[in-house]
Amino acid sequence: MISKVVFGEPVRTDAITAEVETAKEAARFEVTEDEKSVTFRYALRSRDVVYGLGETMGKVNKRGGRYISFNTDTADHTDANPSLYASHNFIVVDGEETFGAFFDTPARVVFEIDWHDSGEIRVVCETRDLSLYQIEGGSAYEVCRELIRAVGRCYLPPLWAFGYGQSRFGYETEKDFRAVADGYQENGIPLDYICMDIDYMDGYRDFSFNEKSFPDIAAFVSEMKGRGIRLVPIVDAGIKVEPGESVYEEGVQKGTFCRNREGGYFQAGVWPGMTHFPDFLNSRARAWFGGLYKFYTDAGFEGFWNDMNEPAMFYNEYSRGFKNVLFRLALDLLFGNRQREKKERELLRGYKSFYHDMDGRRVRHYDVHNLFGGMMTRATSEGLEKLLDHRFMLFSRSSYIGASRYGGVWTGDNSSRWEHLMLNVRHMPSLNMCGFLYSGADTGGFGGNCDRELLLRWLAFSAFTPLMRNHTGKFTRDQEAYRFGDVEAFRKIIGLRYRLLPYIYSEYMKAALRADMYIKPVAFVYPEARGIEDQLLVGDSLMIAPVVTQGAGGRRVFVPEDMTRVRYDGEFRCEPAPKGWHDVDVALDQVVLYIRRGKLLPVGKAITNTAEYDVSELTLLGDGESYELYTDDGLTRDCKPENIRILTK
Ligand code: GLC
């Protein structure tokens, strides 16, 4: 049962699409208001678990932490940092009382959850205008499903978006992209797409190509597609201020950019220098921006990643001092924290000095900050719906609840650290709780230098995340899977992803079409696994227990009921795994997974590209009797819950 309590006059976030009854007051929280904020408190019992918050730091159980919803461009993915790129203000209390609460406001929200052992949840919404959605009844899992249902149908990617992709900040020319495609194909390692980072652009301008590097972009897209490889360009939020350039001129003329204090167009410094931000909170500006992707779809592109949409800004028109990106980055390096604090203050001042026209309602950016990235995804998605007659790949860095209807997310600039592999493991169920099914992290890590062991273990986990993309930063070591000596182990583990595709694609599509989660905590089905965060349920049949520790030749695994253990070493080897704790060896070139009792896992033949996807001969592993295989053509929009074929042993 879901109901909402309205405070003041909330702006439209469109996070929830279901009709929801209005309740008079908050059922579970003690509420206090002052001129600037509304505070919600709930007394926790000692055994209560608190789930949710999607993309935040901390654990899957959010107790003991302080989290701030304020979308931030940050590479500091440590518990010292209260804000990442997204705001997913949904929590679930699971204990003597089980209920969910979604604090629907794009303003800054502070969550203190048993912070400093206070024994309570304290949520401070820094606005007087918000809707509180409260979900009552059932288990934590049912509460999450109720929210996902209320958000509305999740984004449906094409089959190829479930393939493996390679990316790097630094690929510049056709030659670079061909070399990556060659590297994979010559080594027999599967690959479906390569992302194009900002270096494809002319001077980092969206909707442009460096013509020296790409003399005939449409021909190049088609050449790569002929090899089974889609190219996926990045699109940043800001449009370069440059009189004479068509996109800039059009935006100025149509009035689709955000305004500054004086009524002019606000200027913020990002990769290309000074830019204007499209007003994604305005429906006319969204329609305009979405239509701009014609530039890419005309050249044959079918997938995109939207970035810098918190929005990130290195400086802005009101900043003091030098307005040069490289010079500013150098200052950061030289003066460290002092510079950082100054920059944070400057950023906040910037967010407070520009305005949106929310279809007639003028709002200060700071007060609706957390909506910006998600609305960029919406603009893109609605544009692509019109431009293409089939599904497309789309994922974004910044998001707000509801954006899952339009595209996926990736979790931003992590690093090549074991802690960040574990963070990826924690993010996945939390994102799914908030409806973000199509998600993943930069496999191998964005910052720093990945080594062979970390990349293999990370791939072995990413093999189960819908978005499986290896991405790294500009000055890091080469991170393509063929750059780490003997490629056999990489071929095997990425190959496993492709053998599991019939299952991964089916489970994703069924979850998306049935308002379900694709990845969930083990405790959502097996309460005795409460507290276990390094094992996950993937779809309806599988439990995984990734190795997330350096030097470990395996790990301890809790098997919550009798299951089938499958060891993949190029072949699938099944053996019984009785209920209880097990010490399990997992060699670096192996993946061990667990099939739940009474369930089946369909596996396909070895393929190296989704173009070879074939469900005509599947092997069914496990002791179940039947499996619901979801099938469609993987590309058109003909995705119906009835596209099910029952497979029996
Ligand atoms: C941001 C993105 C990263 C990208 C870089 C350059 O840091 O998060 O993925 O590579 O910008 O575009």
Side-chain angles (χ1 to χ4, degrees), residues 27 40 75 171 266 349 379 401 485-486 492 549 577:
F40 299 84
Y171 297 152
F266 177 71
R349 272 200 304 274
I401 285 187
D486 182 12
K492 252 192 230 168
T549 317

Side-chain angles (χ1 to χ4, degrees), residues 73 85 167-169 197-198 234 236 271 305 307-308 397 410 412-413 442 446 469 471-474:
D73 169 20
Y85 310 85
S167 183
R168 143 162 233 128
F169 182 10
D197 208 320
I198 53 175
I234 193 169
D236 286 345
W271 293 119
W305 47 313
D307 191 23
M308 306 305 271
R397 195 169 70 176
W410 101 98
D413 300 347
D442 287 351
F446 178 76
R469 180 182 73 140
H471 179 51
T472 187
K474 191 131 189 157

